Amino acid sequence: SFFFLLFNTLLLPSLAFRSLGSLVGDLFENELSPFSLLGKVYVASSGAFTLCYIITQTWVGSALDMLRITENVWRCIRGTFCFRPFASKRELVSARNHKAEFDFGSEYAQMLVMLSLCFTFSTAVPAILPFGICYFFVKGFVDDYHLNYVC
């Protein structure tokens, strides 16, 4: 999950501002090393996109994590009589009171991707670092709340 997230948040947005064909053409045409082309790929607009992504993940992503919409919807669906017509009252109550588990794998992968984004683009856009610190601060409070009170 980490490599998928890293590919989608680090490489694809960076290549979106320049076509893959022109990138490969420059690689074979100019006979430059691939590392010299990285300066052309990771432009300031990619850093600005990353900064907006980190800010959005900090505030909107954390708010959606606090709401836990999908967990609440599935709990309501599992607890209805229509979904389980032959369930006893005890089974319906236990389905309504079922607590979700904290998914360590996806949360850890998301935090590693945000850390790698902060470190990668901090040289081009230094304003990313305070927002990255803010992300980890808010994410720590959200995860602490989930581990102590929800799960």
Side-chain angles (χ1 to χ4, degrees), residues 4 9-11 17 25-26 30 32 47 51 72 87 116 119 138 144:
F4 176 75
T9 57
L10 185 63
L11 295 178
F17 298 107
D26 283 346
N30 298 332
L32 297 172
L51 180 63
N72 291 330
S116 62
F119 284 159
V138 170
D144 182 47

Side-chain angles (χ1 to χ4, degrees), residues 15 18-29:
L15 294 175
R18 184 176 180 164
S19 70
L20 187 60
S22 66
L23 183 67
V24 172
D26 283 346
L27 183 63
F28 290 119
E29 217 172 78

Side-chain angles (χ1 to χ4, degrees), residues 38-121:
L38 287 177
K40 295 179 182 178
V41 173
Y42 293 112
V43 293
S45 60
S46 296
F49 172 77
T50 305
L51 180 63
C52 291
Y53 178 74
I54 290 173
I55 292 170
T56 304
Q57 280 296 107
T58 301
W59 302 115
V60 178
S62 296
L64 289 176
D65 280 347
M66 289 295 285
L67 290 175
R68 299 182 71 92
I69 295 172
T70 56
E71 174 196 335
N72 291 330
V73 167
W74 278 112
R75 191 175 62 204
C76 289
I77 289 173
R78 266 188 304 208
T80 59
F81 186 72
C82 299
F83 188 67
R84 301 177 68 188
F86 300 111
S88 67
K89 296 248 187 224
R90 182 175 177 218
E91 289 175 333
L92 290 174
V93 168
S94 69
R96 277 191 215 113
N97 294 334
H98 176 72
K99 291 187 176 183
E101 297 175 1
F102 187 78
D103 191 11
F104 284 102
S106 65
E107 298 294 332
Y108 189 68
Q110 182 68 28
M111 289 179 74
L112 282 177
V113 165
M114 295 301 280
L115 183 68
S116 62
L117 284 174
C118 290
F119 284 159
T120 302
F121 288 105

Side-chain angles (χ1 to χ4, degrees), residues 66 135-148:
M66 289 295 285
Y135 169 79
F136 285 108
F137 189 70
V138 170
K139 184 70 173 164
F141 276 121
V142 170
D143 289 346
D144 182 47
Y145 173 77
H146 285 305
L147 286 171
N148 289 328

